[in-house]
Amino acid sequence: MSDIISQLSSILWGWPMIIMLLGTHLFLTVRLKFPQLHIFKAIKLSVSRDKDSTGDVSQFAALTTALAATIGTGNIVGVGTAIALGGPGAVLWCWLTGVFGIATKYGEGLLAIKYRVQTKNGKMQGGPMYALERGLAERATGFRKTMWKLFAVAFAFFTALATFGIGSTVQANAISTLSYDTYGVPPVVIGGIITILVAAVIMGGVKSIAKCCEMLVPLMAALYVIGCVVILCINAAYVIPALKLIVVSAFNPDAAGGGFVGSSIMITARYGIARGLFSNESGLGSAPIVAAAAQTKNPVRQALVSSSGTFWDTVVICALTGVVIVSSVIAYPDINLSNGGVLTKMAFSKIPYIGEPLLTFGSLTFAFSTILGWSYYGERAMEYLANKFARRHARRKRGNGHANAKFVRHVLNTYRIIFLITVYLGAVVSLNLVWDLADIFNALMAIPNLLSLLFLSGIIVHETRKYLWRGRLDKE
């Protein structure tokens, strides 16, 4: 079973998926006239507040919650793994994926606001399932209408399943393993601590999660970036050679030399692109779920704010990690290049006294914040599915609205309990199989989301022309 699941994961995340994701990035980049050019405007908007706009949380809180889910151990260990398997050229491909992924994240954020709905209790909900249902299914007839509805349900279903993988067990396991290896804390103890902390945050809903992420994400990202800058200062003599090596070996991997793995351009590009796609989640469809809760005057403002998440995640953090590792390898050529985690740890060990503790703190906080972000994604997906089931049941049995609302609350409370159980189990058991399952569910999330982006690209262009190209960002 493990071998079958591993093979299925490799197939789903092979070249067809990479081409679909990267192709969508390029298509939207060209069709939207390079929204990457507005990245500084996007950053400025992310720290602004639309006070009189409808929504549950500020744009900055929505951004940090999305970043909490995307900035994880993959940004630290994942880049090292890409370098170990694909050579230093993988860093450039990872960076380019982030640059073009800004356009896709922009489109996802726009559709999230355009097709979001307000529940009876006043909360905003949105994401690819609503874009598929309200943007495509409601405008179609016959078979196409049914197909889009099924895609919407499929996205929500696979998101809920992925939450128990990448969002809870995998991250909790990373925290417990690191805590045990570094400080000798037993997994049973760290599992209980993580579970209690997560429960204390997620039981408060999106505002509690957003508030925690709003404080945690900027701090952990700033400390990690400062650590990278310090290492680059230590390796100052090797930074320019590292940048040259990254660019040259991206198109001629054999030029890397110095113990780096020899491979073809296809292998180097594959590991770099795949790492970038995994890291920023552009095209996966997860970030729009929390973007829909943002207080914003119009869809384009939040689209720009959402796009800045990919900039910080991949264009800045992953790129810094890559240059740090490659410059450290050039400076200390006798190190082991076969393990991505070892590469990153080696680089940070060059900071006297605080290097390894800083990396440990970054890894722990990144993983914990990822749990918080994905808990919200899974809860919104489960709420969508529960509402679907409740409405269908009501039509058949002539149920009442109060009973339906009670059923949805019961489903969400059950989901939270199961999520907390998986957090604890992830900390205390081996997860060789869970990684592959998480990858499979993530790929199955991406397919319907990419379809919504492509088929609704005309709407994205229309809204962009209305607000951005005509200079009407402050209009509702």
Side-chain angles (χ1 to χ4, degrees), residues 9-10 12-13 166 278 434-444:
S9 175
S10 298
L12 286 173
W13 280 105
I166 190 174
F278 271 122
V434 176
W435 274 104
D436 288 329
L437 285 171
D439 289 345
I440 289 172
F441 295 140
N442 285 343
L444 293 174

Side-chain angles (χ1 to χ4, degrees), residues 45 104 112 253 262 271 280 284 286 308 351 356 426 453 474:
L45 286 173
T104 299
Y271 282 113
N280 59 56
L284 199 63
S286 51
S308 68
I351 302 178
E356 289 192 27
L453 286 166
D474 292 329

